[in-house]
Structure formats: C-alpha cells, structure tokens
Amino acid sequence: MRAIRFETSGTAHVVDIPRPTPGPGEVLVAVTSTGVCGSDLAALRGTHPFRIPPLISGHEAGGRVAEIGPDVDGVTVGDRVVIDPQRPCGACERCRVGRYHLCADKEMLGIAEWDGSFAEHVVVPAYTLVAAPDDVDDAHLALAEPIAVAAHAVAQLGARPHDRALVLGGGTIGALITQVLRDAGAAEVDVVEPREHVHPLLRSLGATGVHTPDAALEAGSYDAVFIAAGVPALVDRAFETVAPGGAIVQVAVFNQPVPVPVGQVQVREIALLGTAMYTKEDFRTALEVLRRHPDLADALVTRTTSLEEGAAITTAMAADGPGDIVKLVMVP
C-alpha cells in the first residue's frame, strides 16, 4: 500500500509498504481522510519529543472498516468511523476510571512503533473507533480529531461561566474553540490572531470580534480565556483580560517554562486549567459539530489533496511554515 514516510532529512515522500494485518482486538481501517497538524510538522523538522523519524506519521483520521481481527465484537466491515488515536496501558488507575487520555504510558498513533494514518490503511485497536454519522462526508472525518481537542478544552470549564470568552490564537484549534464555544452558548467570543487573512474565517465560525495582537482589549472582562498559541507573552495577556472569578484554559503546547502570576490566581480567584487530548465523548461532540455545521469543513480546510501532493506540501510547510494554509487534508 502507499504511505507517506518522514525521513531524518526533513523530507516526506510516498513509499510502498506492506498492507498491515489486524491482530487480536484490532481492525484495519481504509483511510478516507487524514489531516496534517503542527505535531506532524514538528516531527518532520525533528523537534517533536516522541514523533521521531523515520516514521509513518498522521493521527487525525477517519475511514471505513476494511478488515476485522480476532476477538473483536460490535464492528462490521464497511462501518464508517473516526479514530481516537490513543493506545493507553489499560491497567493504571487513570485507565480504570475512564481517564485514559491521562495515562502516563499511552502511545499515540503516528509514532515509530505505531504507523500512522498518512497511508491507505491503518491498524488500530477496535476500542479506538467512534462511529461516524451518515451525514458527515468521508473527506471531512479527519476534522473530528482537532474538533475533539477544542471540545475537550471547552469542557474543562465545566459549569463555569463562559458567556463572554476570549481566544488567544486563531489557528486551527483556536478557530475550532470559537465554533465550539458558540455552540455551547457563548454570546460573545473575541479572537486575537495576527494573520489578517484568517480573520474572515474566524468570523464565519462565530467570532463576534477579531483583533490583531496590538488591539486594546478591555481588562478583566472575559469569563473565560483560552491560550491557543504557544507564545509565552499570551499568558500575561490572559491574566490581564480574564475577569475576577474567571478561568484561563491553557491549550497550546509550550516548549519552555513560563512564569505564572500565582498571586493573581489567589487574590482574583482565577481558575488556571490545563487541557490534554480528548475522550470518546469529545469525539462524539466533534462529530455532532460537523453534522450541525456542514459548511465548517469547507471553511476550515484550505487544501484537500492526494498523498503524493500532500507529501510535497507537508515538506514545504515543515521547512518554510504553513503560509496561507490553515488546514491540509489528504484523501489516500
């Protein structure tokens, strides 16, 4: 089968590898769409902590069940599915209570030990599958994973107020947080994003205000602030703009220690919340978002292409940055 291999040279290209066979408890999924995200680009640049080339990358994927291994129940060949790309240990306390996304020993799809979704087929444990509704297009199933990231981030608020929210960073995840917040009832969602060509997209996804980083925002006025870009200065901006009693949700990955004003956390009773990965419930929320907003995928996806062209584009994005591409999806 065809697959994209990331090389240590920083290039991605299509190779022919054996089609995998599902073992006990596993299924083979024919990939109908797979998305490229920042962690893939970091892997290709050689800067990701655990996605280390050479490897078959990719963890945002949906498709159809093509083959079923032994000891699998409740799955039928032809089922349309999305993949929760986490392989937890299943034995630790977190796994036992359903918080498998926090398992310290889990593996992620698209590492050297578990070939990812940049391929015609991928083998995954049957428990990773989430049924996809009939009215979500095959080519859009790859978006369930990044929407699940956004859904999990918003869910961290619990019952806390979020009527007026601020999203710092309007990339793919920030844009999707905007959509999920509006679906969750937020009346006002402001987004700060330096790339002005992305502003119309953010408005189309429900942003009530879109600002460049130098814009003046009302201090202490937002119920919830989401840090959706890995820029340390945004931590200060979040604390400046969050209301007393409000919440800051840390979504972006920082690769360095960042100071936090713990005095403000105490005196202003600010909740500082982390968000990591997602659960099956977040995937179900994501699929409902896709079903409810059929135009979302077309608005967000800049390019839909083949594995061959996608390999070349991914190589260029890793070397030179994403340019005008917000989301790249490949259809194997």
Side-chain angles (χ1 to χ4, degrees), residues 34-90:
T34 181
V36 178
C37 87
S39 64
D40 299 309
L41 302 181
L44 192 53
R45 286 192 295 265
T47 59
H48 196 278
F50 58 82
R51 299 186 191 277
I52 302 170
L55 80 165
I56 309 299
S57 197
H59 62 279
E60 303 177 357
R64 296 177 183 266
V65 174
E67 187 179 341
I68 300 171
D71 304 322
V72 173
D73 296 319
V75 180
T76 303
V77 170
D79 285 353
R80 299 176 69 250
V81 296
V82 296
I83 299 168
D84 176 352
Q86 303 175 89
R87 191 161 64 185
C89 76

Side-chain angles (χ1 to χ4, degrees), residues 26 81 99 114 302 309 331:
E26 296 179 334
V81 296
R99 305 184 74 193
W114 186 13
T302 314
E309 186 178 24
V331 177

Side-chain angles (χ1 to χ4, degrees), residues 119-142:
E120 292 180 284
H121 295 85
V122 63
V123 165
V124 298
Y127 60 73
T128 67
L129 302 182
V130 181
D134 292 337
D135 48 357
V136 176
D137 191 273
D138 282 347
H140 297 164
L141 294 179

